[in-house]
Amino acid sequence: MIRLLLIVAAALALACGATDAAKLDPNAVNQAQFAAGEPKGVDPTVLRAQILLDRARFSPGLIDGRLSENFAKAVGAYQTANGLQADGKLTRETWDKLVAASTRPALIAYELATKDVRGPFTKRIPARMEKMAHLRRLGYRNAMERLAERFHVSEKLLKMLNPGATFRKAGTMLMVPDVGRGDPPAAIASVEVDKGARVVRVLDASGKWLAVYPASIGSDEKPAPSGTAEVKRVVHNPTYHYDPKFAFKGVRTKRPFTIAAGPNNPVGSVWIDLSIESYGIHGTPEPGKIGTTFSHGCIRLTNWDAEDLASVVQEGTTVNFKDEMADVGNEPPAVAH
């Protein structure tokens, strides 16, 4: 009897696995249509919507094909920017607008290049910042991490899209999200950091939202600033300098130290320096935590969103910090998981 139950359980597991695999067939994603309801797990419609939102610069953060708070915020922001009812729910009207705005397939074939797989990689990165300071570079750990970041996707989903792939051999064909965003907005007026909604917005002169990114913004221990600041400079591939006066939790040394550059540096691949001393907008080595965790006072985005923002700001760009809670439509809706 026990053996029979084990056989049945294994068969069910295989059936579920086959279903998940079918849902991630590239054609199923590229041809996904609007469907009402709250899907569980990885869903083709949600995945296609995430990719389309990313292209439109209403970033869902890490693309994973699942309902999430960041996805709901991206939908709500897109709705607001396009004059739709902003409730953060993927409605048919919102879906039709997204699909009409971009005709390219959501998933495309990509051939692994030599530069993707040859490194150099930093295979082991210590958790403690003091020990990171001993490394010469905070590079990607492997080719999969590099590819996942390039295509704004979780490593788990990248594996599901490419079962059996090793991500180590040049010439290998992969299926990846097409997240090409096109040219950045030509003229922006300001940047808004909404601490209540945990998003960063790019605005034009009329106040219209041109881009919205999920963010980790300050904490009770190290709150983000208030008021208005200006962009002083943009530093690509920055090093990270720790001052003991920061007194970060978990950092034991009383001496200053510097952590080498690289995408797994504590401030990621880009630093947008603000006129408020020691504060900036920057990337992160952990894109999956953006919008769901706090920061040490600065404004933390995924590396790709931080780089996108860096491409549109310049010295003197105004950055406004918004303290009050977000309007309806930018808060996590009931359907978000």
Side-chain angles (χ1 to χ4, degrees):
M1 181 64 178
I2 294 175
R3 183 179 180 184
L4 178 60
L5 288 173
L6 289 172
I7 292 173
V8 171
L12 287 172
L14 287 172
C16 291
T19 301
D20 287 342
K23 287 182 179 179
L24 287 177
D25 176 85
N27 290 328
V29 176
N30 287 337
Q31 297 172 17
Q33 299 299 315
F34 173 78
E38 299 179 28
K40 306 294 183 182
V42 178
D43 179 77
T45 297
V46 172
L47 177 53
R48 187 181 180 193
Q50 286 179 332
I51 295 169
L52 294 177
L53 286 164
D54 188 286
R55 282 184 198 165
R57 286 189 166 83
F58 291 85
S59 173
L62 194 66
I63 293 172
D64 61 4
R66 298 174 181 271
L67 291 178
S68 67
E69 183 177 324
N70 283 342
F71 174 62
K73 287 192 286 190
V75 171
Y78 184 82
Q79 291 167 330
T80 297
N82 286 277
L84 305 175
Q85 180 182 350
D87 58 6
K89 299 177 182 179
L90 186 61
T91 61
R92 178 171 290 280
E93 188 178 19
T94 307
W95 172 264
D96 289 345
K97 187 84 173 178
L98 273 171
V99 172
S102 183
T103 58
R104 306 195 314 268
L107 297 177
I108 57 172
Y110 174 77
E111 183 178 353
L112 269 179
T114 301
K115 65 181 180 180
D116 293 324
V117 299
R118 73 182 174 193
F121 299 116
T122 309
K123 295 182 179 180
R124 293 180 179 84
I125 299 176
R128 291 183 56 185
M129 295 175 68
E130 302 97 310
K131 292 186 177 180
M132 289 182 191
H134 297 297
L135 300 179
R136 292 186 176 182
R137 177 168 173 76
L138 276 292
Y140 293 115
R141 292 176 175 85
N142 50 49
M144 178 179 291
E145 186 180 43
R146 170 182 278 169
L147 290 163
E149 184 148 306
R150 176 174 179 178
F151 295 107
H152 309 179
V153 66
S154 71
E155 291 185 35
K156 183 176 180 180
L157 183 62
L158 189 59
K159 290 178 183 178
M160 294 175 73
L161 289 169
N162 300 281
T166 63
F167 305 94
R168 296 187 193 128
K169 184 178 179 180
T172 301
M173 297 302 298
L174 302 175
M175 294 305 302
V176 299
D178 180 0
V179 289
R181 289 176 170 172
D183 295 332
I188 74 165
S190 63
V191 173
E192 182 177 72
V193 178
D194 191 327
K195 294 191 279 186
R198 286 188 289 181
V199 297
V200 171
R201 305 184 184 105
V202 176
L203 284 65
D204 70 8
S206 69
K208 182 180 179 180
W209 299 354
L210 303 176
V212 179
Y213 314 106
S216 293
I217 306 172
S219 64
D220 291 338
E221 179 191 7
K222 299 287 183 180
S226 297
T228 301
E230 291 184 349
V231 172
K232 289 177 61 179
R233 58 176 181 157
V234 173
V235 181
H236 293 278
N237 204 31
T239 55
Y240 175 77
H241 305 285
Y242 179 78
D243 189 324
K245 71 180 181 181
F246 296 160
F248 289 169
K249 188 176 181 179
V251 179
R252 301 172 186 172
T253 183
K254 301 299 182 182
R255 297 181 179 180
F257 58 83
T258 297
I259 297 176
N264 276 314
N265 175 292
V267 293
S269 61
V270 66
W271 169 265
I272 301 172
D273 198 27
L274 300 181
S275 56
I276 303 173
E277 185 180 0
S278 78
Y279 283 96
I281 305 173
H282 62 83
T284 180
E286 298 180 293
K289 293 184 177 181
I290 291 300
T292 64
T293 59
F294 297 102
S295 73
H296 285 126
C298 290
I299 300 86
R300 188 183 302 158
L301 310 177
T302 64
N303 277 340
W304 54 88
D305 287 340
E307 289 166 4
D308 195 54
L309 178 62
S311 72
V312 301
V313 299
Q314 57 186 350
E315 183 181 351
T317 298
T318 299
V319 179
N320 295 309
F321 288 87
K322 183 178 178 181
D323 292 313
E324 65 267 26
M325 291 301 293
D327 298 329
V328 174
N330 296 301
E331 296 174 313
V335 300
H337 294 349

